[in-house]
Amino acid sequence: MRILGINALFHDPSAALVVDGRTVAAAEEERFSRRKHGKRPVPFSAWELPEQAAAWCLKRAGLRPQDLDAVAYSYDPALARPADAMGLDDPWDHLRQTYAREAPGFLATALPGLDPGLVRFVPHHMAHAASGAFAADGADRSSVLVLDGRGERASHLAARRLGDRLEPLYAQDLPHSLGLVYEELTDHLGFLRSSDEFKVMALASHGSPRMLAELRRYVYPTGDGGFHATGVPWGEFCPPRGADEPWTGAHADLAASAQAVLEETLLDLVRWLHGRTHDHVLTLAGGVALNCVANSRIAREGPFSRVWVQPAAGDAGTALGSALLLAAGAGDAPEPMAGADLGRDWSDAELGAWLKTAGVPFERPQDIAVTVAESLADNAIVAWFQGRSEFGPRALGHRSLLAHPGHAGNLERLNDVKGREQFRPVAPMVIAERASEIFDGPLPSPYMLFVHDVAADWRERIPAVVHVDGTARIQTVDPEREPLVARMLTEFERRTGLPVVVNTSLNTAGRPMVDDPRDALECFGSSPVDLLAIGPYAVRRDGIFRTAEEG
């Protein structure tokens, strides 16, 4: 079966292609359109489809729309209810339902040759669940927990995978939603709702959960697999922050309190689910599953022996999940994801042609990994563009900004390069076999979705990647899966004695992660990055300016 998955209705529009149960390609529309998150999550944008991402997925596999056996759309309007009947203040939500019902026709227009009769509506949270349970390795018999802002009529799903079947166990009806509560807080704290929730998580580390007892009046588990989460009077806790105003201790304390009540509620849900299934493996999906602090607490204090999180846990991942769910239903055994590198790539010759067209001086060193390690050891900032781009919001060694972790000032330096808030941490990457020497937490951690305590004797050695609370959100690198990244790390340690390199996403504030060579050159040219390592080639900032002066 050749199945194209589509996520479009709310936010982070994306496409994924599954052929005979194997994930061939997956990409987010923002990487093509260069609009952060693809679009804003408002009813008037619900008609926008991931046209470029879908066309690319088909091109990657050499398929035409008429070659598809099915298209999976990760929302089922037949399950929806009017917004006011669900207790939601969203007077234009009926537009979403109209656009969803008309999606087959819209898709046939966007992908000429597609039979609209091939489009199948997949329940939103079942698509999320499949993106976790079917994509995880070793999860044939596992539990799955989905939490996000909303789906058709719920905000949560507890389910179980048994072979190629997903069995729903409990769903929390709206308006109760942990995701929507966190979105409301994001807006109250002056950040962009449905975009900057990770900033709230980072800010929480700077505060104390002194408002936790009061928040528990509004957000709490109900003991039956569900929860209460609605009606929080945020203004009674602290004044709202304007987007351009500095944050205060009260703002940080509210963030810390909300983070704590989220974690408490999630732990109750996890324990209830384990009590029903007694499984060893738990998979997580939905936007709330991108909260790596909560994930770590679930792994540390929860009853499951292994926790796996979908790297594209937000709505983008439902494109993949919906396709995998249809594939499983058609008898194609879903294959686990080998990695998150499911996007575009270019050959060495194509990258060289891009550089020549751009007219920038470049070199082809004997080994780009060694060149980068040398530059990092000299405290350069390196833009790293290698292989296929990542699916999901994390830079995992394909579209990254790299730096020396041993200089504390590199945190401020990178935040300045990216144009973002100084309270935001950056992450370390480390070869998997060395991780346990330095970091205490769930291992391996290839997708940067857990936080780890940094060993006391390492905190002063790698200060740039240690958050204010003594933790780090690490990425472990498997040399077999990522030989080039592993070689760079090995060469860097040979020069510095540090088996860790700073890794943050290759983009600047408000922009999607770099995806194609043009994006890489534009980012390199507009920010104070010292070296661009693009495929086997190196472009040096001093070389560009020296050439300009000579000219």
Side-chain angles (χ1 to χ4, degrees):
M1 291 282 287
R2 292 160 293 193
I3 302 173
L4 181 68
I6 296 289
N7 168 62
L9 198 68
F10 292 114
H11 52 85
D12 296 299
S14 60
L17 182 66
V18 173
V19 177
D20 298 333
R22 182 174 64 87
T23 303
V24 174
E28 294 157 83
E29 188 72 4
E30 68 163 21
R31 309 297 170 85
F32 299 83
S33 69
R34 309 310 298 159
R35 294 169 59 196
K36 187 74 170 174
H37 297 296
K39 61 182 181 180
R40 291 300 298 148
V42 295
F44 302 97
S45 72
W47 63 272
E48 296 184 40
L49 294 169
E51 297 184 29
Q52 296 179 79
W56 173 79
C57 285
L58 293 175
K59 181 180 178 181
R60 176 78 187 192
L63 297 176
R64 302 166 301 165
Q66 52 266 46
D67 297 326
L68 292 169
D69 297 300
V71 176
Y73 185 85
S74 62
Y75 185 89
D76 186 350
L79 302 177
R81 298 168 59 203
D84 56 357
M86 296 187 291
L88 299 178
D89 182 15
D90 196 349
W92 292 101
D93 188 60
H94 63 90
L95 286 180
R96 287 195 182 94
Q97 313 314 321
T98 298
Y99 291 143
R101 288 191 294 270
E102 298 298 329
F106 290 154
L107 284 164
T109 300
L111 299 171
L114 175 69
D115 178 0
L118 295 178
V119 178
R120 302 285 182 268
F121 293 119
V122 175
H124 187 71
H125 288 119
M126 287 293 283
H128 268 308
S131 79
F134 287 145
D137 187 22
D140 290 358
R141 186 182 182 92
S142 60
S143 300
V144 56
L145 190 64
V146 172
L147 290 127
D148 63 0
R150 60 166 291 195
E152 293 88 357
R153 59 195 302 172
S155 69
H156 150 273
L157 175 67
R160 191 181 195 193
R161 177 186 175 184
L162 295 169
D164 293 337
R165 184 169 58 88
L166 275 179
E167 175 189 357
L169 299 176
Y170 190 94
Q172 176 60 60
D173 286 340
L174 294 164
H176 301 285
S177 170
L178 293 170
L180 290 181
V181 164
Y182 215 86
E183 286 184 14
E184 292 170 4
L185 174 61
T186 300
D187 180 68
H188 186 75
L189 294 178
F191 304 118
L192 184 60
R193 181 174 182 154
S194 296
S195 176
D196 292 347
E197 282 69 29
F198 58 92
K199 296 183 183 180
V200 176
M201 183 182 68
L203 184 61
S205 298
H206 292 263
S208 170
R210 61 181 176 84
M211 306 169 188
L212 176 57
E214 184 67 15
L215 268 177
R216 287 179 180 142
R217 294 176 54 192
Y218 307 97
V219 180
Y220 54 85
T222 51
D224 58 357
F227 51 86
H228 181 284
T230 189
V232 182
W234 298 109
E236 295 181 10
F237 291 93
C238 73
R241 184 185 78 91
D244 297 324
E245 296 175 353
W247 59 271
T248 67
H251 294 127
D253 290 347
L254 181 56
S257 303
Q259 178 68 31
V261 79
L262 171 70
E263 294 170 16
E264 288 181 352
T265 307
L266 291 178
L267 275 170
D268 185 271
L269 299 178
V270 166
R271 288 166 180 152
W272 179 90
L273 180 55
H274 185 265
R276 291 288 301 272
T277 68
H278 304 289
D279 289 326
H280 296 290
V281 178
L282 172 69
T283 64
L284 297 173
V288 176
L290 292 172
N291 191 305
C292 55
V293 176
N295 293 345
S296 296
R297 191 166 176 191
I298 289 170
R300 183 175 64 251
E301 300 179 29
F304 290 91
S305 56
R306 178 182 167 222
V307 178
W308 188 91
V309 185
Q310 164 58 240
D315 272 10
T318 64
L320 174 59
S322 60
L324 288 172
L325 191 65
L326 286 194
D332 290 341
E335 293 185 17
M337 288 176 61
D341 50 333
L342 296 168
R344 290 187 287 178
D345 63 351
W346 284 263
S347 68
D348 293 352
E350 289 171 328
L351 292 175
W354 272 94
L355 295 174
K356 290 175 182 176
T357 299
V360 296
F362 64 94
E363 60 188 90
R364 182 168 185 164
Q366 185 174 354
D367 188 341
I368 192 66
V370 173
T371 297
V372 168
E374 291 171 345
S375 296
L376 292 172
D378 289 337
N379 205 26
I381 292 179
V382 176
W384 177 266
F385 182 106
Q386 303 293 335
R388 297 181 69 175
S389 58
E390 298 93 341
F391 183 49
R394 304 285 192 253
L396 301 169
H398 293 254
R399 304 290 187 271
S400 295
L401 278 172
L402 309 177
H404 195 308
H407 302 292
N410 277 344
L411 171 59
E412 180 177 353
R413 189 177 169 203
L414 281 168
N415 281 333
D416 284 342
V417 167
K418 291 168 69 72
R420 64 184 200 175
E421 301 87 352
Q422 287 298 338
F423 66 79
R424 302 264 302 277
V426 291
M429 56 165 52
V430 59
I431 292 180
E433 64 182 16
R434 302 293 304 280
S436 62
E437 303 171 29
I438 309 167
F439 305 105
D440 180 22
L443 294 173
S445 183
Y447 300 131
M448 208 184 286
L449 285 165
F450 299 92
V451 295
H452 297 67
D453 291 322
V454 182
D457 57 337
W458 277 92
R459 293 182 185 181
E460 291 186 359
R461 298 184 65 186
I462 52 172
V465 296
V466 182
H467 196 29
V468 66
D469 59 0
T471 66
R473 186 186 67 194
I474 78 169
Q475 177 198 353
T476 55
V477 176
D478 179 353
E480 291 189 8
R481 276 280 308 145
E482 300 287 354
L484 183 65
V485 178
R487 194 161 68 250
M488 179 270 295
L489 287 167
T490 300
E491 293 293 334
F492 180 75
E493 182 180 14
R494 185 174 298 165
R495 289 160 175 79
T496 64
L498 301 176
V500 172
V501 163
V502 178
N503 172 30
T504 189
S505 56
L506 181 53
N507 67 325
T508 53
R511 299 282 292 166
M513 204 184 311
V514 159
D515 196 80
D516 74 12
R518 184 188 300 277
D519 304 334
L521 287 163
E522 288 178 351
C523 185
F524 176 70
S526 62
S527 57
V529 175
D530 300 297
L531 176 72
L532 169 62
I534 180 166
Y537 308 106
V539 183
R540 301 181 187 274
R541 177 164 298 277
D542 59 359
I544 291 177
F545 285 113
R546 185 171 59 249
T547 301
E549 291 170 358
E550 292 171 353

